């Protein structure tokens, strides 16, 4: 090969270099060596150092080390954009004559050409590197974690592992204490410190900030948790440059089939949240059962809004009857959610809605529906009965509750005497004051209120003494089972409660009347109003309207 056209040689050489890096074949190395010999210089080693110039990121050697004369060599260094340095070292082969000026020039050119090709290659490699690594800590990232999980899910090996989400405690304060750059070092050292213990198929990845995800063998769990309980991390050279760390963790001992990595991430994140919000728990284990409850809650919350718009929540009516003549005297409006044709009873969704103020939307939805129905009855010449609507205690914080209720009644021109507001007794002092105010204000507007489920909570007698409820709804548990002695005492109590309410000018209605024995008992106790399965279950509006029309006739 003519020395004049060495540019061509170099390019060819560079191609071989690329091949050498990718296939790493001995043959390619030999070829590069041979060509560089033709160009007078003999051995070549290429290194890539990190920003500090200490750590070797990459190294390729194109000759056998025993051929090199370590004492006679020349280095060409090139700075890369990201601060790393590429170093090309040419070695003399033992016994060879010194390099002359021209050769040195050619060597430099050769190195530059190689570097250019190398840089292009590195860019491609870097893109791959940053796909799976966090640039700050140089540890793997969540893409890597997710792909590892998916790999084990596909191979049905995922149940050998425990997944964890880890959060360093008090890291924000630590930032203030030792500064953010020291904290960056702490993060890296902490991850290094975890990683040291792991085997090659185990993973520690950075989620973000001071949070990490781990995928470890089940039998390594205790060892890792021990480290998370407390650890000392050195971030500088001075004796005091040490911090004590601990971490909260959400832990998922993976068992059975898992659909995708999303499930794993969701499981460890929700458990970590529990640990972070708990005063006692440092580690929280994922529990599929409580997760089911969370899923259910999420389902109802999301579906509720649509249900209101689509009117999938139906208002059922349960008749109230007089025990003197068994005539219809009123009704209670009760919600029923129809999901795919199935009736969902309120016990499944009311407690969920009650955790937020969504329950208030439901109660007003029911009130609106009831008022519209009453307006319809009046227009069709059917005399309405009083309908009671349940109002959750969640409304008690609404300063404008009474105004809002009256607005609905007036919108449908419903005479106020046809609506009764059922409120559940409450034991909280603050609620008690609000309750009192509301009942007074309702009474002033001509709307009656009742205490629902009286006897269920720790009823305070002062509640009925101080708050002007019109009606006491005696809970079904008071009727009890006639064969049980404890229920005998309940019934004795019931008699006295009824007599006390009567003396105070309140009306009493018994809930849960299921038998003629119950009726007998109530009559003996001088309670003459009842609601229960003996007469009717809660029924759809059309069915109730038939009863109402018959009654009106
Ligand atoms: P509640 O207000 O005490 O309503 C009476 C409950 O007793 C109703 O249950 C009714 O079906 C049931 N019941 C009636 N007669 C009998 C009987 O003879 N035996 C037995 N074992 N049970 C009887 P439901 O409809 O399942 O409602 C449960 C609770 O859900 C209600 O208790 C009420 O607190 C709440 N709720 C229902 N709809 C609404 C609503 O729209 N808003 C609010 N805030 N709460 C509601
Ligand atoms: Mg009720
Ligand atoms: Mg009740």
């Amino acid at each position: 090969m003519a020395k004049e056209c060495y540019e061509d040689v170099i390019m060819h050489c560079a191609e071989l270099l690329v091949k050498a890096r990718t296939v790493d074949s001995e043959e390619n190395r030999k070829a590069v060596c041979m060509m560089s010999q033709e160009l007078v210089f003999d051995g070549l080693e290429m290194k890539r150092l990190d920003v500090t110039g200490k750590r070797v990121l990459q190294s390729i050697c194109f000759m056998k080390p025993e051929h090199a004369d370590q004492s006679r060599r020349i280095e060409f260094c090139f700075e890369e954009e990201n601060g790393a340095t590429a170093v090309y070292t040419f070695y003399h082969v033992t016994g060879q004559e010194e390099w002359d000026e021209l050769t040195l020039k050619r060597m430099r050119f050769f190195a530059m050409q190689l570097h250019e090709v190398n840089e292009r290659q590195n860019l491609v490699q870097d893109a791959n590197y940053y796909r799976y690594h966090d640039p700050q800590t140089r540890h793997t990232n969540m893409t890597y974690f997710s792909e590892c999980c998916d790999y084990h899910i596909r191979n049905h090996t995922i149940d050998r592992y425990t997944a964890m989400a880890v959060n360093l405690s008090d890291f924000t304060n630590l930032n203030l204490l030792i500064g953010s750059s020291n904290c960056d070092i702490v993060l890296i050292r902490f991850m290094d410190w975890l990683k040291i213990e792991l085997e090659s198929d185990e993973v520690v990845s950075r989620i973000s900030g001071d949070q990490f995800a781990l995928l470890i063998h089940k039998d390594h769990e205790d060892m890792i948790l021990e480290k998370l309980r407390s650890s000392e991390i050195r971030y500088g050279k001075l004796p005091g440059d040490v911090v004590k760390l601990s971490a909260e963790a959400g832990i998922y001992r993976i068992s059975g089939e898992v659909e995708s990595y999303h499930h794993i991430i969701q499981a460890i994140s929700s458990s970590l949240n529990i640990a972070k919000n708990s005063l006692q728990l440092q580690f929280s284990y994922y529990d599929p059962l409580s997760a089911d409850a969370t899923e259910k809650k999420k389902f109802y919350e999301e579906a509720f809004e649509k249900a209101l718009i689509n009117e999938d929540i139906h208002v059922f009516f349960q008749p109230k009857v007089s025990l003197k003549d068994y005539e219809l005297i009123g009704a209670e409006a009760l919600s029923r959610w129809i999901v795919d044709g199935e009736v969902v009873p309120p016990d499944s969704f009311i407690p969920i809605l009650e955790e937020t103020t969504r329950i208030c939307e439901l109660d007003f939805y029911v009130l609106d529906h009831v008022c519209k129905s009453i307006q319809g009855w009046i227009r069709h010449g059917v005399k309405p009965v009083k309908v009671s609507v349940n109002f959750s205690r969640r409304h008690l914080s609404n300063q404008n509750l009474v105004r809002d209720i009256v607005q609905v009644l007036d919108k449908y021109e419903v005479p106020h005497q046809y609506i009764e507001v059922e409120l559940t007794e409450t034991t909280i002092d603050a609620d008690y004051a609000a309750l009192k105010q509301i009942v007074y204000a309702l009474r002033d507007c001509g709307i009656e209120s009742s205490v629902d489920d009286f006897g269920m909570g720790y009823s305070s007698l002062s509640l009925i003494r101080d708050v002007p409820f019109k009606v006491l709804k005696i809970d079904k548990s008071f009727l009890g089972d006639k064969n049980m002695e404890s229920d005998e005492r309940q019934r004795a109590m019931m008699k006295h409660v009824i007599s006390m309410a009567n003396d105070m000018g309140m009306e009493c209605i018994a809930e849960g009347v299921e038998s003629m024995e119950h009726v007998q008992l109530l009559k003996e106790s001088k309670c003459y109003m009842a609601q229960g399965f003996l007469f009717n279950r809660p029924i759809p509006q059309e069915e109730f309207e038939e009863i109402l029309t018959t009654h009106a006739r």
Side-chain angles (χ1 to χ4, degrees):
M1 198 175 296
K3 286 186 183 173
E4 294 76 54
C5 56
Y6 64 90
E7 283 94 339
D8 290 345
V9 177
I10 288 164
M11 288 323 291
H12 188 60
C13 217
E15 270 174 36
L16 286 170
L17 170 69
V18 172
K19 275 193 196 159
R21 286 163 56 142
T22 46
V23 295
D24 199 23
S25 87
E26 186 61 23
E27 219 162 275
N28 280 332
R29 284 166 194 242
K30 274 188 203 150
V32 177
C33 266
M34 205 183 74
M35 278 185 257
S36 58
Q37 267 166 12
E38 288 228 349
L39 293 162
V40 190
F41 36 85
D42 295 299
L44 168 65
E45 186 184 34
M46 186 233 117
K47 272 188 195 153
R48 203 163 159 238
L49 304 174
D50 73 356
V51 184
T52 63
K54 286 186 188 145
R55 255 175 59 189
V56 177
L57 300 177
Q58 258 177 6
S59 171
I60 302 171
C61 188
F62 294 100
M63 57 175 193
K64 292 214 161 73
E66 61 268 25
H67 290 162
D69 178 352
Q70 294 287 338
S71 62
R72 286 199 294 160
R73 62 183 183 186
I74 184 155
E75 275 182 359
F76 297 102
C77 300
F78 303 97
E79 285 280 313
E80 291 181 10
E81 261 180 38
N82 57 7
T85 312
V87 183
Y88 298 84
T89 312
F90 294 93
Y91 294 91
H92 260 285
V93 170
T94 318
Q96 199 191 31
E97 64 190 54
E98 288 298 312
W99 295 314
D100 59 18
E101 271 303 298
L102 182 67
T103 310
L104 285 173
K105 242 171 112 180
R106 284 175 175 172
M107 282 156 90
R108 183 173 172 74
F109 185 75
F110 183 74
M112 269 169 61
Q113 294 296 313
L114 278 187
H115 180 60
E116 209 172 274
V117 179
N118 249 343
E119 274 224 298
R120 244 178 280 143
Q121 268 282 309
N122 286 338
L123 277 178
V124 177
Q125 283 204 341
D126 281 357
N128 241 339
Y129 179 84
Y130 288 116
R131 180 170 151 73
Y132 293 115
H133 290 81
D134 163 50
Q136 192 189 341
T137 59
R138 292 198 169 263
H139 279 278
T140 54
N141 60 15
M142 285 310 278
T143 310
Y144 185 78
F145 180 86
S146 312
E147 289 191 12
C148 282
C149 289
D150 264 354
Y151 171 83
H152 288 298
I153 292 169
R154 276 197 310 275
N155 288 301
H156 306 284
T157 46
I158 194 70
D159 58 359
R160 294 181 195 160
Y161 294 86
T162 288
M164 286 187 197
V166 171
N167 176 69
L168 290 178
S169 314
D170 268 342
F171 207 67
T172 317
N173 282 339
L174 195 66
N175 261 286
L176 297 173
L177 208 67
I178 63 169
S180 60
S181 54
N182 282 332
C183 269
D184 290 347
I185 299 172
V186 170
L187 271 182
I188 297 170
R189 296 265 162 93
F190 182 77
M191 289 184 81
D192 289 346
W193 191 65
L194 288 176
K195 179 92 190 171
I196 280 171
E197 304 288 347
L198 302 185
E199 289 179 18
S200 60
D201 62 324
E202 293 176 301
V203 180
V204 51
S205 290
R206 188 169 185 212
I207 300 176
S208 66
D210 57 353
Q211 298 200 348
F212 318 101
L214 290 134
L215 190 68
I216 53 167
H217 297 163
K218 281 191 167 138
D219 56 359
H220 280 173
E221 200 182 299
D222 289 344
M223 178 261 296
I224 292 290
L225 291 185
E226 199 47 50
K227 288 192 154 212
L228 298 182
R229 257 182 210 106
S230 161
S231 54
E232 277 194 358
I233 302 290
R234 171 165 290 285
Y235 60 90
K237 288 192 176 127
L238 297 173
D241 292 346
V242 177
V243 286
K244 272 200 168 190
L245 287 181
S246 67
E248 297 100 24
I251 304 157
Y252 178 20
R253 287 185 185 134
I254 304 166
S255 59
E257 292 287 307
V258 176
E259 264 177 28
S260 89
Y261 71 85
H262 292 291
H263 173 71
I264 296 174
I265 293 177
Q266 208 264 327
I268 57 177
S269 316
S270 60
S271 311
L272 177 62
N273 268 338
I274 295 172
K276 276 169 70 182
N277 294 327
S278 158
L279 293 177
Q280 288 102 30
L281 276 183
Q282 184 181 0
F283 306 132
S284 157
Y285 288 84
Y286 172 70
D287 171 4
L289 286 180
S290 79
D292 277 355
T294 317
E295 294 259 303
K296 192 172 153 193
K297 186 172 158 196
K298 219 171 125 207
F299 169 79
Y300 278 125
E301 275 181 354
E302 283 174 6
F304 175 69
E305 219 163 279
K306 277 195 212 138
L308 283 191
I309 297 167
N310 301 339
E311 302 208 349
D312 288 336
I313 294 181
H314 294 220
V315 178
F316 276 39
F317 292 80
Q318 186 175 32
K320 295 176 183 174
V321 296
S322 156
L323 292 184
K324 288 180 179 155
D325 52 12
Y326 300 104
E327 286 290 331
L328 179 77
I329 50 168
E332 177 174 5
L334 294 157
S335 306
R336 295 290 182 270
W337 191 341
I338 316 286
V339 179
D340 299 329
E342 299 274 318
V343 177
V344 183
D347 288 348
S348 311
F349 62 88
I350 297 252
I352 294 170
L353 299 180
E354 251 175 347
E355 284 177 32
T356 63
T357 47
R358 298 239 128 159
I359 187 71
C360 303
E361 289 173 52
L362 175 72
D363 292 345
F364 272 99
Y365 170 92
V366 173
L367 179 69
D368 197 274
H369 192 94
V370 167
C371 289
K372 200 172 171 183
S373 307
I374 294 178
Q375 185 191 46
W377 301 336
I378 294 173
R379 284 202 181 142
H380 286 95
V382 178
K383 188 172 165 17
V385 287
K386 181 183 288 185
V387 181
S388 60
V389 179
N390 292 283
F391 272 79
S392 158
R393 66 176 57 190
R394 277 269 171 194
H395 292 278
L396 297 186
S397 56
N398 176 6
Q399 306 279 335
N400 299 318
L401 177 66
V402 176
R403 188 201 66 187
D404 294 347
I405 291 176
V406 170
Q407 254 175 21
V408 181
L409 269 70
D410 292 350
K411 181 169 92 177
Y412 294 104
E413 297 167 333
V414 169
H416 294 189
Q417 85 239 30
Y418 288 127
I419 294 293
E420 179 180 304
V421 171
E422 287 194 20
L423 294 156
T424 319
E425 55 175 329
T426 166
T427 49
I428 308 164
D429 282 345
D431 283 357
Y432 185 88
L435 194 67
K436 198 169 156 177
Q437 218 180 2
I438 286 165
V439 174
Y440 266 106
L442 283 171
R443 196 186 63 170
D444 291 345
C445 299
I447 301 168
E448 285 176 359
S449 318
S450 50
V451 197
D452 201 0
D453 304 336
F454 188 81
M456 265 294 276
Y458 294 91
S459 328
S460 151
L461 287 181
S462 57
L463 178 74
I464 49 172
R465 183 193 65 199
D466 296 339
V467 185
F469 286 108
K470 179 73 184 161
V471 184
L472 199 64
K473 291 196 80 178
I474 297 172
D475 190 70
K476 46 187 170 282
S477 60
F478 262 123
L479 288 169
D481 182 339
K482 81 171 183 5
N483 298 318
M484 284 177 69
E485 203 183 318
S486 61
D487 288 357
E488 196 49 55
R489 292 164 72 93
Q490 286 259 57
R491 283 191 290 274
M493 268 174 72
M494 185 183 75
K495 273 189 188 173
H496 289 286
V497 167
I498 293 170
S499 120
M500 185 181 64
N502 286 342
D503 289 348
M504 290 169 77
M506 289 173 85
E507 292 170 7
C508 276
I509 178 163
E511 295 182 290
V513 178
E514 292 181 346
S515 63
M516 280 315 285
E517 273 162 8
H518 285 159
V519 172
Q520 196 55 35
L521 188 73
L522 289 166
K523 281 182 170 173
E524 281 167 21
S525 310
K526 298 193 171 57
C527 173
Y528 298 105
M529 291 195 287
Q531 174 184 342
F533 294 171
L534 176 66
F535 310 105
N536 287 102
R537 288 179 176 259
I539 47 177
Q541 180 172 338
E542 307 76 53
E543 228 173 284
F544 176 69
E545 283 172 350
E546 278 175 29
I547 296 178
L548 182 71
T549 326
T550 317
H551 163 77
R553 267 191 229 125

